[in-house]
Amino acid sequence: MRVGVDVGGTFTDYLIKDNDGSARIYKTSTTPHDPTIGLINGLNKAAKDAGLPLEEWLGKVETIVHGTTITTNAVLTGEGARTGFITTAGFRDLLNMQRGIKEKQFEIYAPPQPLVERCNIAVVRERVTVDGEAVTPLNEDDVREAARLFRTQGVEAVAVSYLWSFRNESHERRTKEILDQELPGVYVSLSTDILPQIRVYERHSTTALNSYVGPVLTRYLSRLQHRLQELGFRGSLLIMQSNGGVMSPDVAQRFASNTLLSGPAGAPQAGLHYGAVHHFRNFITVDMGGTSFDVALVRDGAPSMTTEGIIGGHRIASPILDIHTVGSGGGSIAWIDAGGLLNVGPKSAGASPGPACYGRGGTLPTVTDANHVLGYLDFAGGELTLDGDAAHAAIKRHVAEPLGIDLLEAAYGVYQVVNADMAAAIAVVSVQRGYDPREFVLVVAGGAGPLHAGPIARDLGIPLVQIPRESSVFCAAGMLISDLKHDYVHTYAEEFNTLDIHAIAAIYQDIVARAMETLKTENVSAERAVIDYSADLRYVGQFNEVEVPAFAHGNFSHEALSHLALAFHHKHDELYGYATPAAPIELINLRVTVRGVTDKPNVETHPLHGHDPSAARTGWREAWFDGAYVSTAVYDGLKLFNGNVVGGPAIVVQPTTTILVPDDFELTCDAGNNYLMYRKGANVGELIRKLNGESK
């Protein structure tokens, strides 16, 4: 068996794949004080269903792939490790000064809480030039003095980032040797390991983030590995990365900042898997869980990546999936602001106490409470009967009465506001990036997502929605089919017409050698390794660069350089609407992505069953449509099969999710036994062909 586990803010999701291809889904409540408890609870539940003791069941598990929000939460809540920072004398405040660019121009600038307090920033006399020459030797007494300071301050982790260290790493290496002697057991990150590239603030910030979350992740993974081994697990544990790949726990502990978007990073890979039956290559994944709403765009089969991520106001420059997250989940709390306007989120009821209707002591109104009042939802997670009286009381007291409206208007207002927030989040990764959402399929996931998919698609003009049958554990599914993946960067700043192709080839070959060593520690054979080369280029005088694929199959030649220049002009035109081929270009960074390819499951198709869905109908329910309660057909989603068509208004229920089919939509079960939803009257076959760019 292979197990995918996604620990979210409210629920922990599990997808268990057997060797015969069959799959089982589980959801358990997350235990924020110690996520290993909730994780083991879910494994124990799966073992009981299999009729086996947990130890025997775990002995049959080959691989566990684990996505976690533990590092993200540490940054967002300010509960990371007490961190020290060492940098070059004369530049003490670069880390906390950040960039002078305001992300939101019309808001009063309020910098985030620093990762490292100023009293824990130490400076060392040393200096390396832009050419890598050590003009001022490392003052080892300064390093030892910094270690004494950190010892008195109770520092758990240290980040080291000197000016131009990526040109000559000897000072940082020697600093670590001294720190290991003076501060045994303290977690140490070097910028030459974490991000050896130009731009000092980005390098400082990413290295500091790595140290800030490193001890937190190390403690968690050590505890989890120890517990799993005690229970009989002898397989491989892999950790999901922010770049959409997986890595071993040992690598994760050294590069902890690579897990800052671990949870939602499985979504694009899952979208490619579920969309393969229709050959979808352009889609937007949305995952609405209990706490957040995560959005990612995939174009031409490739997820959008960025090196300009921001976590809790702090810059991370490692390659990560371009995922936009807002606080719009099923547990997001509805509230009235000082101006008397209704808002939803970002605060969440979380796993404990959860929405009021969970009956666990929550009294504040959430999106889940609104869905229950409107008749869309009558259970949660397959095991929880909802408390309707508590949901009504919460919305009445905190929304309806303050606004002077009735209960149903208030609940529907919450539903509409959260839908508008989610549509705006989709526009961030599509419209604001220059993409028209009407040219993409909306792939909807999360336990709560399918309840809101129809109105969101209508608002954005998206013609087709795909809802995987395993949507409630979508990211866990993506994790199971992700490759091991590692990204490397090396700054080589040079004008294009003076590039030395032999020097470039030598740098790439050195990076590839290190990458292959990392894969070897993860038991990946050379035959399963795929290496992709790219480079960051810009026009001379520009500030931002563009990453362009380069040197296919390791072809380092002058002809390959010419192709690289043409590709840069094309990509620049695509991104910014213009290119100037006569302008001089400069190379900034050389990049390598190495993947250890894992086995992928086959795309299963099922025989056609015809249009009639009546065999799956379980009854009728009063639900709110067009300003009134309407008698609405309810279907068992697990009894809908290929070809069945359900016309709205309707509600399709599965053990861990519920799909709302609005009155102007219809839903069909496809050959993969997943769902496609679209406006009534549309020809679904023509929609698929159009979205795939195929002629009729």
Short mmCIF file of all heavy atoms in Angstrom, two decimals, residues 556-612:
data_model
loop_
_atom_site.label_atom_id
_atom_site.label_comp_id
_atom_site.label_asym_id
_atom_site.label_seq_id
_atom_site.Cartn_x
_atom_site.Cartn_y
_atom_site.Cartn_z
N PHE A 556 25.70 21.85 -24.14
CA PHE A 556 26.36 23.13 -23.86
C PHE A 556 27.19 23.53 -25.08
O PHE A 556 28.30 23.04 -25.29
CB PHE A 556 27.25 22.99 -22.62
CG PHE A 556 26.52 22.50 -21.41
CD1 PHE A 556 26.81 21.25 -20.88
CD2 PHE A 556 25.53 23.26 -20.82
CE1 PHE A 556 26.14 20.78 -19.77
CE2 PHE A 556 24.85 22.80 -19.71
CZ PHE A 556 25.14 21.56 -19.18
N SER A 557 26.61 24.40 -25.90
CA SER A 557 27.26 24.82 -27.14
C SER A 557 26.89 26.26 -27.44
O SER A 557 25.93 26.81 -26.87
CB SER A 557 26.83 23.92 -28.30
OG SER A 557 25.43 24.08 -28.55
N HIS A 558 27.63 26.88 -28.33
CA HIS A 558 27.31 28.25 -28.74
C HIS A 558 25.97 28.30 -29.46
O HIS A 558 25.23 29.30 -29.35
CB HIS A 558 28.44 28.80 -29.62
CG HIS A 558 29.71 29.04 -28.88
ND1 HIS A 558 29.87 30.09 -28.01
CD2 HIS A 558 30.89 28.35 -28.86
CE1 HIS A 558 31.09 30.06 -27.47
NE2 HIS A 558 31.73 29.00 -27.98
N GLU A 559 25.63 27.24 -30.17
CA GLU A 559 24.32 27.19 -30.82
C GLU A 559 23.20 27.19 -29.78
O GLU A 559 22.17 27.84 -29.94
CB GLU A 559 24.23 25.93 -31.69
CG GLU A 559 22.91 25.82 -32.46
CD GLU A 559 22.82 24.53 -33.26
OE1 GLU A 559 23.70 23.67 -33.12
OE2 GLU A 559 21.84 24.39 -34.03
N ALA A 560 23.43 26.45 -28.67
CA ALA A 560 22.44 26.42 -27.60
C ALA A 560 22.28 27.80 -26.97
O ALA A 560 21.17 28.19 -26.56
CB ALA A 560 22.84 25.39 -26.55
N LEU A 561 23.37 28.57 -26.88
CA LEU A 561 23.27 29.94 -26.37
C LEU A 561 22.40 30.80 -27.27
O LEU A 561 21.61 31.63 -26.79
CB LEU A 561 24.67 30.55 -26.25
CG LEU A 561 25.50 30.18 -25.02
CD1 LEU A 561 26.88 30.83 -25.10
CD2 LEU A 561 24.79 30.59 -23.73
N SER A 562 22.52 30.64 -28.58
CA SER A 562 21.69 31.41 -29.51
C SER A 562 20.23 31.07 -29.33
O SER A 562 19.36 31.97 -29.33
CB SER A 562 22.12 31.11 -30.96
OG SER A 562 23.47 31.48 -31.17
N HIS A 563 19.93 29.78 -29.15
CA HIS A 563 18.54 29.37 -28.90
C HIS A 563 18.03 29.96 -27.58
O HIS A 563 16.86 30.34 -27.47
CB HIS A 563 18.43 27.85 -28.87
CG HIS A 563 18.63 27.19 -30.20
ND1 HIS A 563 17.98 27.61 -31.35
CD2 HIS A 563 19.40 26.13 -30.57
CE1 HIS A 563 18.33 26.85 -32.36
NE2 HIS A 563 19.21 25.95 -31.93
N LEU A 564 18.91 30.05 -26.59
CA LEU A 564 18.54 30.62 -25.30
C LEU A 564 18.14 32.08 -25.44
O LEU A 564 17.14 32.53 -24.86
CB LEU A 564 19.70 30.47 -24.31
CG LEU A 564 19.50 31.05 -22.91
CD1 LEU A 564 18.30 30.42 -22.21
CD2 LEU A 564 20.77 30.86 -22.07
N ALA A 565 18.88 32.84 -26.22
CA ALA A 565 18.55 34.25 -26.43
C ALA A 565 17.20 34.41 -27.11
O ALA A 565 16.38 35.25 -26.71
CB ALA A 565 19.65 34.93 -27.25
N LEU A 566 16.95 33.60 -28.14
CA LEU A 566 15.66 33.67 -28.84
C LEU A 566 14.51 33.30 -27.89
O LEU A 566 13.45 33.94 -27.91
CB LEU A 566 15.68 32.72 -30.04
CG LEU A 566 16.58 33.13 -31.21
CD1 LEU A 566 16.62 32.01 -32.26
CD2 LEU A 566 16.10 34.43 -31.84
N ALA A 567 14.74 32.28 -27.07
CA ALA A 567 13.70 31.87 -26.13
C ALA A 567 13.41 32.97 -25.11
O ALA A 567 12.27 33.19 -24.71
CB ALA A 567 14.13 30.59 -25.41
N PHE A 568 14.45 33.69 -24.70
CA PHE A 568 14.26 34.79 -23.75
C PHE A 568 13.41 35.90 -24.36
O PHE A 568 12.47 36.39 -23.73
CB PHE A 568 15.62 35.36 -23.33
CG PHE A 568 15.51 36.69 -22.63
CD1 PHE A 568 14.95 36.80 -21.37
CD2 PHE A 568 15.93 37.86 -23.27
CE1 PHE A 568 14.82 38.02 -20.74
CE2 PHE A 568 15.82 39.08 -22.64
CZ PHE A 568 15.26 39.17 -21.37
N HIS A 569 13.71 36.30 -25.59
CA HIS A 569 12.91 37.35 -26.25
C HIS A 569 11.44 36.92 -26.34
O HIS A 569 10.53 37.72 -26.08
CB HIS A 569 13.46 37.64 -27.65
CG HIS A 569 14.83 38.26 -27.65
ND1 HIS A 569 15.15 39.38 -26.94
CD2 HIS A 569 15.97 37.89 -28.31
CE1 HIS A 569 16.43 39.69 -27.13
NE2 HIS A 569 16.94 38.80 -27.96
N HIS A 570 11.23 35.66 -26.70
CA HIS A 570 9.86 35.16 -26.84
C HIS A 570 9.14 35.18 -25.49
O HIS A 570 7.98 35.62 -25.39
CB HIS A 570 9.88 33.74 -27.41
CG HIS A 570 8.53 33.11 -27.51
ND1 HIS A 570 7.61 33.43 -28.50
CD2 HIS A 570 7.92 32.17 -26.72
CE1 HIS A 570 6.51 32.72 -28.32
NE2 HIS A 570 6.68 31.95 -27.25
N LYS A 571 9.82 34.69 -24.44
CA LYS A 571 9.19 34.64 -23.12
C LYS A 571 8.94 36.05 -22.58
O LYS A 571 7.90 36.31 -21.96
CB LYS A 571 10.11 33.87 -22.17
CG LYS A 571 9.52 33.61 -20.77
CD LYS A 571 8.42 32.58 -20.82
CE LYS A 571 7.90 32.24 -19.42
NZ LYS A 571 8.84 31.40 -18.67
N HIS A 572 9.85 36.97 -22.83
CA HIS A 572 9.66 38.35 -22.37
C HIS A 572 8.45 38.97 -23.05
O HIS A 572 7.65 39.67 -22.41
CB HIS A 572 10.93 39.16 -22.65
CG HIS A 572 11.01 40.46 -21.90
ND1 HIS A 572 10.31 41.58 -22.27
CD2 HIS A 572 11.70 40.79 -20.76
CE1 HIS A 572 10.57 42.56 -21.41
NE2 HIS A 572 11.40 42.11 -20.49
N ASP A 573 8.30 38.71 -24.33
CA ASP A 573 7.14 39.23 -25.06
C ASP A 573 5.84 38.63 -24.52
O ASP A 573 4.82 39.32 -24.36
CB ASP A 573 7.29 38.92 -26.55
CG ASP A 573 6.14 39.46 -27.37
OD1 ASP A 573 5.92 40.70 -27.36
OD2 ASP A 573 5.43 38.67 -28.02
N GLU A 574 5.88 37.35 -24.21
CA GLU A 574 4.70 36.66 -23.68
C GLU A 574 4.30 37.23 -22.32
O GLU A 574 3.12 37.41 -22.03
CB GLU A 574 5.01 35.17 -23.56
CG GLU A 574 3.85 34.32 -23.10
CD GLU A 574 4.26 32.86 -22.99
OE1 GLU A 574 4.82 32.48 -21.93
OE2 GLU A 574 4.05 32.11 -23.95
N LEU A 575 5.29 37.52 -21.48
CA LEU A 575 5.01 38.00 -20.12
C LEU A 575 4.67 39.48 -20.06
O LEU A 575 3.78 39.89 -19.31
CB LEU A 575 6.22 37.72 -19.21
CG LEU A 575 6.50 36.26 -18.86
CD1 LEU A 575 7.79 36.15 -18.08
CD2 LEU A 575 5.35 35.68 -18.04
N TYR A 576 5.38 40.30 -20.85
CA TYR A 576 5.27 41.76 -20.69
C TYR A 576 4.73 42.48 -21.92
O TYR A 576 4.58 43.69 -21.89
CB TYR A 576 6.64 42.34 -20.32
CG TYR A 576 7.22 41.74 -19.06
CD1 TYR A 576 8.35 40.92 -19.10
CD2 TYR A 576 6.62 41.96 -17.82
CE1 TYR A 576 8.88 40.36 -17.95
CE2 TYR A 576 7.14 41.40 -16.67
CZ TYR A 576 8.26 40.61 -16.73
OH TYR A 576 8.78 40.05 -15.59
N GLY A 577 4.48 41.73 -22.99
CA GLY A 577 3.87 42.34 -24.16
C GLY A 577 4.85 43.01 -25.11
O GLY A 577 4.43 43.67 -26.06
N TYR A 578 6.14 42.85 -24.90
CA TYR A 578 7.11 43.41 -25.84
C TYR A 578 8.44 42.68 -25.70
O TYR A 578 8.71 42.02 -24.69
CB TYR A 578 7.34 44.91 -25.57
CG TYR A 578 8.18 45.21 -24.36
CD1 TYR A 578 9.55 45.43 -24.48
CD2 TYR A 578 7.62 45.25 -23.09
CE1 TYR A 578 10.33 45.70 -23.36
CE2 TYR A 578 8.39 45.51 -21.96
CZ TYR A 578 9.74 45.74 -22.10
OH TYR A 578 10.52 46.00 -21.00
N ALA A 579 9.25 42.78 -26.73
CA ALA A 579 10.61 42.26 -26.72
C ALA A 579 11.47 43.20 -27.55
O ALA A 579 10.97 43.82 -28.51
CB ALA A 579 10.67 40.84 -27.28
N THR A 580 12.74 43.32 -27.19
CA THR A 580 13.65 44.19 -27.95
C THR A 580 14.89 43.38 -28.32
O THR A 580 15.91 43.42 -27.62
CB THR A 580 14.04 45.43 -27.11
OG1 THR A 580 14.55 44.99 -25.85
CG2 THR A 580 12.84 46.33 -26.88
N PRO A 581 14.80 42.61 -29.41
CA PRO A 581 15.90 41.71 -29.79
C PRO A 581 17.24 42.41 -30.01
O PRO A 581 18.29 41.77 -29.88
CB PRO A 581 15.39 41.09 -31.10
CG PRO A 581 13.90 41.18 -31.00
CD PRO A 581 13.63 42.47 -30.29
N ALA A 582 17.21 43.73 -30.31
CA ALA A 582 18.48 44.43 -30.54
C ALA A 582 19.16 44.85 -29.24
O ALA A 582 20.34 45.23 -29.24
CB ALA A 582 18.24 45.65 -31.42
N ALA A 583 18.43 44.80 -28.12
CA ALA A 583 18.98 45.24 -26.84
C ALA A 583 19.92 44.19 -26.26
O ALA A 583 19.69 42.98 -26.45
CB ALA A 583 17.86 45.55 -25.86
N PRO A 584 20.96 44.60 -25.55
CA PRO A 584 21.87 43.63 -24.95
C PRO A 584 21.20 42.87 -23.81
O PRO A 584 20.36 43.40 -23.08
CB PRO A 584 23.03 44.50 -24.43
CG PRO A 584 22.44 45.85 -24.26
CD PRO A 584 21.39 46.00 -25.32
N ILE A 585 21.59 41.60 -23.65
CA ILE A 585 21.04 40.71 -22.63
C ILE A 585 22.16 40.39 -21.64
O ILE A 585 23.34 40.36 -22.00
CB ILE A 585 20.54 39.40 -23.27
CG1 ILE A 585 19.52 39.67 -24.37
CG2 ILE A 585 19.93 38.47 -22.22
CD1 ILE A 585 19.16 38.43 -25.16
N GLU A 586 21.76 40.11 -20.40
CA GLU A 586 22.73 39.59 -19.45
C GLU A 586 22.17 38.36 -18.75
O GLU A 586 20.98 38.26 -18.48
CB GLU A 586 23.15 40.65 -18.43
CG GLU A 586 22.04 41.23 -17.59
CD GLU A 586 22.56 42.32 -16.64
OE1 GLU A 586 23.78 42.32 -16.35
OE2 GLU A 586 21.76 43.14 -16.19
N LEU A 587 23.05 37.42 -18.51
CA LEU A 587 22.73 36.21 -17.76
C LEU A 587 22.95 36.50 -16.28
O LEU A 587 23.93 37.13 -15.90
CB LEU A 587 23.64 35.07 -18.22
CG LEU A 587 23.53 33.73 -17.49
CD1 LEU A 587 22.18 33.09 -17.75
CD2 LEU A 587 24.64 32.80 -17.94
N ILE A 588 22.04 36.03 -15.42
CA ILE A 588 22.15 36.27 -13.98
C ILE A 588 22.38 34.96 -13.23
O ILE A 588 23.35 34.82 -12.49
CB ILE A 588 20.91 36.99 -13.43
CG1 ILE A 588 20.71 38.33 -14.14
CG2 ILE A 588 21.04 37.20 -11.92
CD1 ILE A 588 21.85 39.31 -13.95
N ASN A 589 21.48 33.99 -13.40
CA ASN A 589 21.57 32.74 -12.64
C ASN A 589 21.49 31.53 -13.55
O ASN A 589 20.75 31.54 -14.55
CB ASN A 589 20.43 32.64 -11.61
CG ASN A 589 20.48 33.72 -10.55
OD1 ASN A 589 21.53 33.98 -9.97
ND2 ASN A 589 19.34 34.36 -10.30
N LEU A 590 22.19 30.48 -13.18
CA LEU A 590 22.06 29.17 -13.81
C LEU A 590 21.27 28.28 -12.85
O LEU A 590 21.55 28.26 -11.64
CB LEU A 590 23.44 28.57 -14.07
CG LEU A 590 24.38 29.40 -14.95
CD1 LEU A 590 25.75 28.74 -15.02
CD2 LEU A 590 23.81 29.60 -16.34
N ARG A 591 20.30 27.56 -13.38
CA ARG A 591 19.44 26.73 -12.52
C ARG A 591 19.39 25.29 -13.02
O ARG A 591 19.46 25.03 -14.23
CB ARG A 591 18.01 27.29 -12.49
CG ARG A 591 17.90 28.67 -11.85
CD ARG A 591 16.45 29.13 -11.73
NE ARG A 591 16.37 30.46 -11.14
CZ ARG A 591 16.36 30.70 -9.83
NH1 ARG A 591 16.38 29.69 -8.98
NH2 ARG A 591 16.29 31.93 -9.38
N VAL A 592 19.24 24.37 -12.09
CA VAL A 592 19.08 22.95 -12.39
C VAL A 592 17.94 22.42 -11.53
O VAL A 592 17.89 22.68 -10.32
CB VAL A 592 20.36 22.15 -12.11
CG1 VAL A 592 20.08 20.64 -12.20
CG2 VAL A 592 21.47 22.52 -13.07
N THR A 593 17.02 21.69 -12.15
CA THR A 593 16.00 20.94 -11.43
C THR A 593 16.22 19.46 -11.74
O THR A 593 16.25 19.07 -12.90
CB THR A 593 14.58 21.35 -11.86
OG1 THR A 593 14.36 22.72 -11.51
CG2 THR A 593 13.53 20.50 -11.16
N VAL A 594 16.39 18.67 -10.70
CA VAL A 594 16.59 17.24 -10.90
C VAL A 594 15.42 16.50 -10.25
O VAL A 594 15.00 16.83 -9.14
CB VAL A 594 17.94 16.78 -10.30
CG1 VAL A 594 18.02 17.05 -8.81
CG2 VAL A 594 18.18 15.30 -10.58
N ARG A 595 14.87 15.53 -11.00
CA ARG A 595 13.73 14.77 -10.51
C ARG A 595 14.06 13.28 -10.47
O ARG A 595 14.66 12.75 -11.41
CB ARG A 595 12.51 14.98 -11.43
CG ARG A 595 11.91 16.37 -11.36
CD ARG A 595 10.70 16.49 -12.26
NE ARG A 595 11.03 16.42 -13.67
CZ ARG A 595 10.56 15.52 -14.51
NH1 ARG A 595 9.72 14.58 -14.08
NH2 ARG A 595 10.90 15.53 -15.78
N GLY A 596 13.67 12.65 -9.38
CA GLY A 596 13.70 11.20 -9.30
C GLY A 596 12.31 10.70 -9.60
O GLY A 596 11.39 10.87 -8.80
N VAL A 597 12.12 10.12 -10.77
CA VAL A 597 10.77 9.81 -11.27
C VAL A 597 10.19 8.62 -10.50
O VAL A 597 10.84 7.57 -10.35
CB VAL A 597 10.82 9.50 -12.78
CG1 VAL A 597 9.42 9.13 -13.29
CG2 VAL A 597 11.36 10.70 -13.54
N THR A 598 8.98 8.79 -10.02
CA THR A 598 8.26 7.71 -9.33
C THR A 598 7.25 7.08 -10.28
O THR A 598 6.86 7.67 -11.29
CB THR A 598 7.52 8.25 -8.09
OG1 THR A 598 6.60 9.27 -8.50
CG2 THR A 598 8.50 8.84 -7.09
N ASP A 599 6.82 5.88 -9.95
CA ASP A 599 5.81 5.20 -10.77
C ASP A 599 4.48 5.93 -10.66
O ASP A 599 4.05 6.31 -9.57
CB ASP A 599 5.65 3.75 -10.33
CG ASP A 599 6.89 2.93 -10.60
OD1 ASP A 599 7.57 3.21 -11.60
OD2 ASP A 599 7.18 2.02 -9.79
N LYS A 600 3.81 6.11 -11.80
CA LYS A 600 2.53 6.79 -11.83
C LYS A 600 1.41 5.78 -12.09
O LYS A 600 1.58 4.85 -12.87
CB LYS A 600 2.51 7.86 -12.93
CG LYS A 600 3.64 8.88 -12.83
CD LYS A 600 3.54 9.72 -11.58
CE LYS A 600 4.56 10.86 -11.59
NZ LYS A 600 5.95 10.39 -11.54
N PRO A 601 0.27 5.96 -11.43
CA PRO A 601 -0.84 5.05 -11.69
C PRO A 601 -1.43 5.28 -13.08
O PRO A 601 -1.35 6.38 -13.64
CB PRO A 601 -1.86 5.43 -10.60
CG PRO A 601 -1.53 6.86 -10.28
CD PRO A 601 -0.05 7.00 -10.45
N ASN A 602 -1.98 4.22 -13.64
CA ASN A 602 -2.64 4.35 -14.93
C ASN A 602 -3.95 5.12 -14.78
O ASN A 602 -4.58 5.10 -13.72
CB ASN A 602 -2.93 2.97 -15.52
CG ASN A 602 -1.66 2.20 -15.86
OD1 ASN A 602 -0.68 2.80 -16.30
ND2 ASN A 602 -1.68 0.90 -15.64
N VAL A 603 -4.35 5.80 -15.85
CA VAL A 603 -5.63 6.50 -15.85
C VAL A 603 -6.73 5.49 -16.15
O VAL A 603 -6.77 4.88 -17.22
CB VAL A 603 -5.64 7.63 -16.91
CG1 VAL A 603 -6.99 8.31 -16.93
CG2 VAL A 603 -4.54 8.64 -16.60
N GLU A 604 -7.59 5.26 -15.17
CA GLU A 604 -8.64 4.26 -15.33
C GLU A 604 -9.86 4.85 -16.02
O GLU A 604 -10.24 5.99 -15.77
CB GLU A 604 -9.06 3.71 -13.97
CG GLU A 604 -7.97 2.93 -13.25
CD GLU A 604 -8.48 2.31 -11.96
OE1 GLU A 604 -9.59 1.73 -11.98
OE2 GLU A 604 -7.80 2.42 -10.95
N THR A 605 -10.47 4.06 -16.90
CA THR A 605 -11.74 4.45 -17.51
C THR A 605 -12.77 3.36 -17.25
O THR A 605 -12.42 2.19 -17.04
CB THR A 605 -11.59 4.66 -19.03
OG1 THR A 605 -11.08 3.47 -19.63
CG2 THR A 605 -10.63 5.82 -19.32
N HIS A 606 -14.03 3.78 -17.24
CA HIS A 606 -15.12 2.87 -16.87
C HIS A 606 -16.17 2.84 -17.97
O HIS A 606 -16.33 3.81 -18.72
CB HIS A 606 -15.75 3.33 -15.55
CG HIS A 606 -14.77 3.40 -14.42
ND1 HIS A 606 -14.49 2.32 -13.61
CD2 HIS A 606 -13.96 4.41 -13.98
CE1 HIS A 606 -13.58 2.67 -12.71
NE2 HIS A 606 -13.24 3.92 -12.91
N PRO A 607 -16.91 1.73 -18.08
CA PRO A 607 -17.90 1.61 -19.15
C PRO A 607 -19.05 2.60 -18.98
O PRO A 607 -19.36 3.05 -17.87
CB PRO A 607 -18.39 0.17 -19.02
CG PRO A 607 -18.06 -0.23 -17.61
CD PRO A 607 -16.82 0.52 -17.25
N LEU A 608 -19.68 2.92 -20.10
CA LEU A 608 -20.80 3.87 -20.11
C LEU A 608 -22.04 3.23 -19.49
O LEU A 608 -22.37 2.07 -19.78
CB LEU A 608 -21.08 4.29 -21.56
CG LEU A 608 -21.92 5.54 -21.78
CD1 LEU A 608 -21.20 6.77 -21.26
CD2 LEU A 608 -22.20 5.70 -23.28
N HIS A 609 -22.75 4.01 -18.64
CA HIS A 609 -23.95 3.50 -17.96
C HIS A 609 -25.24 4.18 -18.43
O HIS A 609 -26.31 3.83 -17.97
CB HIS A 609 -23.82 3.69 -16.44
CG HIS A 609 -23.05 2.62 -15.76
ND1 HIS A 609 -21.69 2.45 -15.94
CD2 HIS A 609 -23.44 1.63 -14.89
CE1 HIS A 609 -21.27 1.43 -15.21
NE2 HIS A 609 -22.30 0.91 -14.57
N GLY A 610 -25.14 5.17 -19.29
CA GLY A 610 -26.34 5.87 -19.72
C GLY A 610 -26.60 7.12 -18.91
O GLY A 610 -25.95 7.37 -17.89
N HIS A 611 -27.60 7.91 -19.34
CA HIS A 611 -27.85 9.23 -18.75
C HIS A 611 -28.61 9.18 -17.43
O HIS A 611 -28.43 10.04 -16.58
CB HIS A 611 -28.64 10.10 -19.74
CG HIS A 611 -27.88 10.46 -20.97
ND1 HIS A 611 -26.68 11.11 -20.93
CD2 HIS A 611 -28.15 10.25 -22.28
CE1 HIS A 611 -26.22 11.31 -22.16
NE2 HIS A 611 -27.11 10.78 -23.00
N ASP A 612 -29.47 8.20 -17.24
CA ASP A 612 -30.41 8.21 -16.12
C ASP A 612 -29.69 8.02 -14.77
O ASP A 612 -29.08 6.98 -14.53
CB ASP A 612 -31.44 7.09 -16.32
CG ASP A 612 -32.53 7.12 -15.26
OD1 ASP A 612 -32.59 8.11 -14.48
OD2 ASP A 612 -33.31 6.15 -15.19
#
